[in-house]
Amino acid sequence: MPEITLTTLVLLCLAALVAGWIDAVVGGGGLLLLPALLLGLPHVPAAHILGTNKAVAIVGTTGAAVTYVRKAPVQVWTAVRIGLAALTGSMAGAFFAAGISSDVLRPVIMVVLLAVAAFVMLRPSFGAKAEGEERAPLTRARIVTAIVVVGGGIGFYDGLFGPGTGTFLVLALTAVLHLDLVTASATAKIVNVCTNAGALAMFAYQGSVYWQLAAVMAVFNLVGGMVGARMALSKGAEFVRGVLLVVVFSLVAKLAFDQWA
């Protein structure tokens, strides 16, 4: 592991804490955690940054998933099947990633995200659950669609490009399975655990993880993830919706900066 100062370690741990909170509420914690690692470890190979990021993120994601499953109406087996499809899709996306220019993808993703933000703002009822309303039953057709489109499709995007995968998962699960935003966030966490596990296994096999640093940061990421999940459960869909819009606009700003700065 490279030598890092105490100040850098403290800042990385704080970034892991906040990233865990963001990721638990609506996804997108990597928007903070990955840049923090890149800035804190400027001379480290990219593979080690990505591997360490996965080792940290999977702990917070797992903690958030457990917290959600205990209190939210999540169908774990459905989420796991979507997660396995996402894992397969991400491997396929990674295979094609070398032949795709991110300079081409960024403007497309920015347009999609702005359209999503407009839709969420113009449809306040999207992902909300009225008082006393029962969730619609999950039909076989919707589950298959979720496995193929949400799991395979977004998994492919994750392997191909990556930024905002957690946010896309929440939005797609809300739309396809007719879940409220809180339950969609809970389901997305289980899917994230599956995809993170697959990626981490590959990075670990390649020796691209700084385990000591990851272990320290993971403690803070776990705390952030569990606190974020509890806040989402207690404050409801309107709170998640607000955080979602902030994350979407942050992601657009980051993509725009990467494209034109």
Side-chain angles (χ1 to χ4, degrees):
M1 188 179 82
E3 292 186 8
I4 58 176
T5 66
L6 179 60
T7 301
T8 299
L9 179 61
V10 170
L11 291 175
L12 287 175
C13 288
L14 289 174
L17 178 73
V18 178
W21 185 90
I22 294 171
D23 207 49
V25 176
V26 76
L31 293 174
L32 175 61
L33 187 56
L34 198 54
L37 283 166
L38 287 168
L39 290 172
L41 307 172
H43 304 300
V44 166
H48 285 72
I49 294 290
L50 294 171
T52 304
N53 172 67
K54 287 299 182 186
V56 174
I58 194 172
V59 176
T61 301
T62 302
V66 171
T67 302
Y68 273 124
V69 167
R70 292 173 61 187
K71 305 211 172 180
V74 184
Q75 293 198 5
V76 176
W77 175 231
T78 298
V80 169
R81 283 185 287 175
I82 297 171
L84 293 175
L87 177 58
T88 303
S90 66
M91 293 173 67
F95 178 79
F96 288 101
I100 301 292
S101 171
S102 59
D103 290 337
V104 175
L105 284 175
R106 285 193 193 104
V108 175
I109 301 304
M110 281 189 281
V111 171
V112 171
L113 283 169
L114 289 172
V116 164
F119 176 81
V120 172
M121 288 189 293
L122 294 173
R123 292 284 301 275
S125 61
F126 178 73
K129 182 179 177 182
E131 189 72 27
E133 178 188 354
E134 293 295 326
R135 191 181 69 184
L138 296 181
T139 64
R140 181 180 179 84
R142 279 197 278 135
I143 291 175
V144 171
T145 301
I147 292 172
V148 175
V149 177
V150 181
I154 295 180
F156 183 84
Y157 165 79
D158 191 22
L160 184 68
F161 192 51
T165 297
T167 305
F168 281 128
L169 276 173
V170 173
L171 289 166
L173 288 167
T174 302
V176 175
L177 296 182
H178 298 177
L179 304 178
D180 61 85
L181 283 171
V182 174
T183 306
S185 292
T187 306
K189 291 294 124 299
I190 299 174
V191 176
N192 281 157
V193 170
C194 295
T195 55
N196 284 345
L200 179 58
M202 181 59 68
F203 284 121
Y205 175 75
Q206 296 172 342
S208 300
V209 181
Y210 291 129
W211 292 108
Q212 291 175 307
L213 175 61
V216 176
M217 293 177 64
V219 174
F220 289 84
N221 195 250
L222 175 63
V223 172
M226 296 180 71
V227 170
R230 290 177 183 275
M231 288 184 69
L233 287 165
S234 63
K235 294 183 179 294
E238 195 60 33
F239 169 73
V240 176
R241 181 173 174 270
V243 177
L244 172 65
L245 289 172
V246 171
V247 170
V248 166
F249 285 121
S250 299
L251 180 55
V252 171
K254 180 185 183 301
L255 290 172
F257 179 83
D258 291 343
Q259 180 74 14
W260 292 297

